[in-house]
C-alpha cells in the first residue's frame, strides 16, 4: 500500500541467500549511469519528490541529494508547495523538473485516485517531465487502474509496488500501541512479507536515476513472510519488554478508527482496504529487491534491532 501514518489516518483518510559485493556496489552506483551521466555534461537533473516528508519521501530526498541531483521536496508547507488535494500546486511544482517520484495520498485504491493520477500525468507531460516513478500497493487490484491512468499521458512510468511497510510499526499508526505494550490489528494469523522502507527507498532511487527501469513494474517485499504475532515477538526481543499482538475484528478496528477521530466513511474504507490486503493473497515474497539492487532485502528482525535495539 502507499504511505499512510497516524496523522493522515485521522485527518484525511504506505533465490540466492547472499549477494556478491561487487554486484551490490555496481547496482547501487546507478547515479553514475544513464540519465545522470547525461546530466553530468550539462546540468544536474531536477527531481520532484511528492509527499517528501513521508516514510519513503524523506529517504528518497536524502539519497537523491547525496547523489548530487537537484531535489524539490514537495509538501504542503515546504519550499516547494505540493498538495494532492490542491491540484493548482501540481503544475508549479513540476515546472522544470526532469523526473518525479509520485507518492499519492491516501492510497491509489482510494476514491478519486484514478482521476488524480490521470490529471497529474497530463500536468507532468505538459511540463516536459521525462520519467515518473510511482509508488503503488502490492496486491491492490484497484490501484492498477490508477497506475494505468498515470501512464495515459505518455510519460514513461516505473511502478514500484510495495508490501506492508515495516516502518508502520515505528513511524506509523501501529507504533502508538507499543507504549501500551500491544499491537491491535485485524490481521488474524495472516502473514505479510514486510518491506523495510530503507530497501524501498533504495529501489525508488535506482528507478529514478537509471532510465533502464522506465516502463517496468516491480513488486518489492521483505525476504520472508512474518505474521503480526511474529512481528510483535521480534519487536519484543529488540525493545527488551513484551509487546503483544491482539487480533481484533474488522468492526472493532473500524470503531477504534472512528473513536480516534476518523470520519465513519473513511474508517470503513480503510478497514476494508486492510481486510483485502491481509486476506492471505499477499503472503509470499518476491525477488524485486534483488532484481533492482543486486542484493537481498533486509529482514524484519534486522529492522527491529535497528529501530529499538541499537543494532545496524
Amino acid at each position: 500500500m502507499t504511505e499512510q501514518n497516524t496523522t493522515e489516518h485521522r485527518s484525511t483518510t504506505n533465490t540466492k541467500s547472499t549477494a556478491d559485493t561487487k554486484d551490490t556496489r555496481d547496482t547501487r552506483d546507478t547515479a553514475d549511469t544513464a540519465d545522470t551521466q547525461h546530466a553530468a555534461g550539462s546540468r544536474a537533473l531536477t527531481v520532484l519528490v511528492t509527499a517528501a516528508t513521508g516514510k519513503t519521501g524523506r529517504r528518497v530526498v536524502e539519497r537523491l541529494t547525496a547523489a548530487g541531483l537537484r531535489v524539490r521536496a514537495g509538501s504542503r508547507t515546504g519550499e516547494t508547495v505540493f498538495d494532492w488535494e490542491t491540484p493548482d500546486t501540481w503544475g508549479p511544482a513540476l515546472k522544470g523538473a526532469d523526473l518525479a517520484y509520485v507518492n499519492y495520498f491516501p492510497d491509489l485504491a482510494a476514491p478519486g485516485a484514478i482521476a488524480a493520477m490521470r490529471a497529474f500525468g497530463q500536468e507532468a507531460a505538459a511540463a516536459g517531465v521525462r520519467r515518473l516513478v510511482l509508488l503503488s500497493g502490492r496486491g491492490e487490484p484497484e490501484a492498477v487502474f490508477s497506475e494505468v491512468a498515470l501512464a495515459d499521458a505518455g510519460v514513461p512510468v516505473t511502478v514500484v509496488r510495495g508490501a506492508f511497510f515495516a516502518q508502520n510499526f515505528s513511524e506509523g499508526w501501529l507504533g502508538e500501541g507499543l507504549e501500551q505494550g500491544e499491537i491491535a490489528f485485524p490481521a488474524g494469523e495472516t502473514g505479510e512479507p514486510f518491506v523495510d522502507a530503507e530497501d524501498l527507498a533504495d529501489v525508488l532511487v535506482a528507478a529514478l536515476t537509471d532510465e533502464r527501469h522506465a516502463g517496468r513494474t516491480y513488486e518489492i517485499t521483505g525476504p520472508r513472510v512474518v505474521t503480526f504475532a511474529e512481528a510483535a515477538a521480534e519487536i519484543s526481543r529488540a525493545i527488551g519488554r513484551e509487546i503483544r499482538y491482539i487480533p481484533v475484528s474488522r468492526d472493532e478496528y473500524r470503531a477504534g478508527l472512528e473513536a480516534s477521530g476518523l470520519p465513519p466513511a473513511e474508517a470503513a474504507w480503510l478497514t476494508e482496504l486492510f481486510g483485502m490486503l491481509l486476506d492471505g493473497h499477499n503472503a509470499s515474497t518476491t525477488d524485486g529487491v534483488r532484481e533492482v539492487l543486486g542484493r537481498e532485502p533486509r529482514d524484519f528482525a534486522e529492522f527491529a534491532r535497528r529501530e529499538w535495539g541499537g543494532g545496524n
Side-chain angles (χ1 to χ4, degrees):
M1 62 183 294
T2 45
E3 290 188 33
Q4 301 199 18
N5 61 38
T6 305
T7 302
E8 290 166 343
H9 278 177
R10 291 176 174 173
S11 62
T12 309
T13 45
N14 196 32
T15 64
K16 291 182 180 179
S17 59
T18 59
D20 184 272
T21 301
K22 181 178 182 296
D23 289 344
T24 301
R25 182 177 63 250
D26 290 346
T27 306
R28 285 184 172 180
D29 285 345
T30 52
D32 293 330
T33 64
D35 289 338
T36 311
Q37 278 188 340
H38 171 77
S42 53
R43 62 176 178 81
L45 292 173
T46 297
V47 187
L48 170 65
V49 176
T50 66
T53 60
K55 297 182 190 69
T56 61
R58 70 175 184 275
R59 291 173 167 88
V60 168
V61 167
E62 292 169 357
R63 286 160 169 78
L64 292 175
T65 301
L69 281 75
R70 299 173 60 184
V71 181
R72 293 180 184 170
S75 66
R76 293 175 179 175
T77 59
E79 182 176 345
T80 298
V81 178
F82 186 93
D83 186 351
W84 284 115
E85 295 182 345
T86 310
D88 288 347
T89 65
W90 303 354
L94 284 163
K95 186 177 180 180
D98 300 290
L99 313 166
Y101 168 45
V102 186
N103 182 8
Y104 180 72
F105 172 79
D107 191 271
L108 289 178
I114 295 174
M117 287 298 94
R118 182 172 293 110
F120 185 83
Q122 293 168 350
E123 290 272 11
V129 175
R130 292 161 52 182
R131 286 190 293 108
L132 302 170
V133 174
L134 173 67
L135 178 63
S136 186
R138 179 174 183 247
E140 293 186 50
E142 293 299 319
V144 176
F145 294 106
S146 294
E147 297 170 7
V148 173
L150 180 64
D152 278 348
V155 180
V157 178
T158 303
V159 178
V160 177
R161 296 172 180 161
F164 207 96
F165 295 179
Q167 276 74 5
N168 284 331
F169 292 95
S170 58
E171 302 172 22
W173 72 100
L174 290 174
E176 288 188 342
L178 297 186
E179 294 182 5
Q180 287 73 48
E182 62 184 38
I183 299 169
F185 202 65
E189 298 180 0
T190 300
E192 169 70 19
F194 297 103
V195 64
D196 194 317
E198 302 292 342
D199 284 337
L200 198 53
D202 286 344
V203 168
L204 291 164
V205 169
L208 283 162
T209 57
D210 190 337
E211 64 185 2
R212 290 174 296 182
H213 297 291
R216 299 288 301 277
T217 296
Y218 299 104
E219 294 201 352
I220 307 301
T221 73
R224 63 186 173 109
V225 175
V226 180
T227 67
F228 277 72
E230 291 168 338
E234 294 283 10
I235 295 171
S236 297
R237 281 189 283 272
I239 208 169
R241 58 184 174 86
E242 184 183 13
I243 303 296
R244 296 181 302 128
Y245 167 56
I246 302 176
V248 297
S249 68
R250 293 190 192 183
D251 287 342
E252 290 172 324
Y253 187 72
R254 183 179 65 249
L257 291 177
E258 293 179 12
S260 71
L262 200 67
E266 295 177 12
W269 173 79
L270 192 59
T271 301
E272 287 302 311
L273 176 64
F274 286 143
M276 181 274 295
L277 289 173
L278 295 167
D279 65 0
H281 77 280
N282 278 335
S284 61
T285 62
T286 70
D287 62 356
V289 170
R290 190 183 311 113
E291 182 179 4
V292 178
L293 303 177
R295 64 165 174 81
E296 296 301 307
R298 295 171 173 88
D299 190 78
F300 189 89
E302 177 184 344
F303 154 76
R305 289 193 300 270
R306 188 178 69 241
E307 290 294 328
W308 295 285
N312 295 319

